[in-house]
Each structure stands twice: as structure tokens, then as C-alpha cells.
Amino acid sequence: EESEVNFLAVIAALDFGDGWRTSIVALTGRPYEELVTFALMSQHISGDPLSADSLANLSLFNLGNVLNLPITEEVEVAPCIRQDKPSHHKPLVERYYSVLQNIALRLQETGFPSLGRFILHPGSAHAKGKPSGASEPESAASLIARLSGTFACFSDAPTHPGTDQKLPFNRKAATLARRLQSRFPASLPLPGAESLPAGADLQTLRLLVGHNLVTLSNALRAKLVAKPCITANAETEIALRACAAVAVDRLGKALTTRAGREVPPAIALTFLRNLEGEVGEAAESGEGDGA
């Protein structure tokens, strides 16, 4: 169980790269989500525990090879003369590498051998959560607080533009909590996971706009497909992510009225993604989407 929890947690940590979607599909035939999942699965099957030590020892070059995204490419600089230069996808691989290195460092600093152990044993080492042996299961909110307070990649509560109000998007941590609750309902019930906000990303906003569920000005619509697209954590990106999350929440409430039973945001988001004629392509950029 710990091994699978760890696997799902590392996948969640690397859940970004929407901006490279078009070029990644062109190069590998797979969207970035599948690319990361298959790469980590390959490592796991080959005996890599994806532990703090193994992540710390991973090189940037090897990570690019595992992901099938080489960090260099050969170009002709003169007749019969070729030279290696940084590849188009090197910045994305560097972002993935930075995340994994930070996870390894924080796990080693807090005394945990893996993310799986960190999640399953909140009362051990320096983790902040329910004490060991507590009768009450840890809530989803508590798990998210521990993840976001320990690992930079799970910290996702930017300040609302023009105010001091924090926007608790927690996109990666919330997604992980829902997956863990669904996969391990007995050992990780994580009360509250089912009602967490969902859809706070530009990919979801593109779907909402494409299905005429959100209307944006021409200038903002242009920003969604600009190259490069909106810079991560810029005021515009934060406002648009908030717009997407609110729209998904309202969609859930509308579906609740229609279905006669509660439809939480995550289910509403699944409904949106499964709508026939899904539209909206990501821009060629690594920024945005709370990466």
C-alpha cells in the first residue's frame, strides 16, 4: 500500500506541463499526463522505489530519457557540422527535476524515506498531523495542510489580486486526496476530500470557454492561446484560475439541482471533461496552471 500511495503522490507532484501539450503529443504521441505516469510506472517496475534517496540521485539527463523528452537535440550549424543544443522541452524537464529534487531534500530533512510514508504516518518524525495511534482518521484538509506546508510543489494558495485574501486552490494536493480516498477508502478515508474545490487551472478554463460556460473578453481569450501563455502566479493567471474554480463549483450546483442529488466539484469537472466535442488546446508554454 505504501508503495502505491508513494507512486500516486509523485505523479500528483508532477501534474503540470499543460503548456507543452501540443508539442509533447507531436513528439511522443501521448499527452503529458500519460507521459509522466508511464515514465514513473517504468521506473517503479524496474525496481526504483521513487524514494527520497533514489530521487536525490536522479540526474537531469536520466530524467529526460525516462520521460522520452531528451534535454538536448542535434542541429546542423554549418554544412557537415552538427552540434548539440538545448531541446525545446528542456525547460519542462528542468521543472520536473527541480520538483523531484525538492521533494527528496524535504523528505530527508523531515526524516521520511518516501512521500508514501509521509502520507501514511503523519504522527512520525517531524510531520504535523494527528498523533500516532489517534482514533480519528486524518481529514483531507489536514493532509493538504501537511503537504503544502512541507513541499513547495503542493503549495498552491496564492493571494487574490488587490486583496490579502488567500485562494486555497490546492490543485495537486486536492487531486491527490481524492485519488487516495477513492483507492484506499478503508485506510485513507480522508473525510472532506469529496467536497474539495476542483478545476483551478487554465486547461479547465479553456474547456469552460469552449462550451460557452464562461465568457471572457477578446483580450483574455487571446491570452489563453498566446505563445508564451500567461505567466504562472501573475495576477491575470490567478484571477482566471479562480474564475475556473468558481465556474466548476456553480456547474456542480446546477447539476445537483438537475440530478436531485449532490454533485461535488470534482464530479462536475469529470462531467465537463467528458462532454462530447471537448475543445481547447494548450498553448506552447510551460507557465501557468499552478505549476
Side-chain angles (χ1 to χ4, degrees), residues 2 6 51-53 103-128 146 150-151:
E2 183 177 313
N6 185 62
S51 64
D53 289 343
I103 289 173
L105 176 63
R106 295 296 293 134
L107 286 172
Q108 292 171 340
E109 289 177 345
T110 53
F112 289 94
S114 69
L115 272 174
R117 182 71 59 85
F118 177 90
I119 291 169
L120 288 169
H121 301 280
S124 60
H126 301 285
K128 296 180 180 179
R146 289 197 298 117
T150 306
F151 305 101

Side-chain angles (χ1 to χ4, degrees), residues 240-264:
L240 291 177
R241 291 183 66 202
C243 172
V246 169
V248 169
D249 183 67
R250 291 180 178 176
L251 176 61
K253 290 175 180 176
L255 292 173
T256 294
T257 300
R258 181 175 178 180
R261 57 184 178 84
E262 185 178 1
V263 179

Side-chain angles (χ1 to χ4, degrees), residues 21-240:
R21 177 179 297 272
T22 303
S23 62
I24 286 177
V25 170
L27 178 66
T28 69
R30 289 175 174 164
Y32 74 94
E33 304 97 329
E34 288 185 12
L35 194 71
V36 169
T37 300
F38 277 93
L40 295 179
M41 189 178 297
S42 173
Q43 288 295 97
H44 184 70
I45 292 174
S46 67
D48 184 344
L50 300 175
S51 64
D53 289 343
S54 69
L55 295 180
N57 291 326
L58 183 66
S59 71
L60 178 64
F61 179 79
N62 287 339
L63 178 60
N65 288 340
V66 168
L67 290 168
N68 198 26
L69 295 175
I71 61 174
T72 61
E73 58 186 4
E74 196 176 75
V75 296
E76 187 172 10
V77 294
C80 301
I81 299 177
R82 304 186 70 82
Q83 180 179 325
D84 283 343
K85 74 168 190 176
S87 70
H88 174 69
H89 295 103
K90 184 180 179 181
L92 176 61
V93 178
E94 288 176 330
R95 294 278 295 280
Y96 286 144
Y97 181 73
S98 176
V99 166
L100 295 177
Q101 292 298 295
N102 178 260
I103 289 173
L105 176 63
R106 295 296 293 134
L107 286 172
Q108 292 171 340
E109 289 177 345
T110 53
F112 289 94
S114 69
L115 272 174
R117 182 71 59 85
F118 177 90
I119 291 169
L120 288 169
H121 301 280
S124 60
H126 301 285
K128 296 180 180 179
K130 67 180 179 65
S132 298
S135 58
E136 292 297 320
E138 183 176 29
S139 67
S142 173
L143 174 61
I144 289 172
R146 289 197 298 117
L147 287 169
S148 62
T150 306
F151 305 101
C153 60
F154 287 111
S155 179
D156 184 20
T159 302
H160 189 285
T163 73
D164 293 328
Q165 179 185 357
K166 289 288 187 180
L167 299 173
F169 294 145
N170 298 315
R171 184 177 66 84
K172 298 173 190 173
T175 299
L176 175 59
R178 286 190 291 266
R179 287 175 180 169
L180 293 175
Q181 182 194 58
S182 175
R183 181 67 183 87
F184 305 104
S187 57
L188 288 169
L190 296 173
E194 64 284 348
S195 59
L196 291 169
D201 55 78
L202 301 186
Q203 182 183 6
T204 297
L205 184 60
R206 293 185 189 101
L207 287 177
L208 290 162
V209 171
H211 291 298
N212 297 315
L213 295 173
V214 166
T215 301
L216 297 177
S217 67
N218 290 336
L220 286 177
R221 288 176 68 99
K223 284 181 178 290
L224 284 179
V225 296
K227 299 181 182 181
C229 69
I230 301 165
T231 302
N233 296 318
E235 287 191 1
T236 300
E237 193 231 18
I238 294 170
L240 291 177

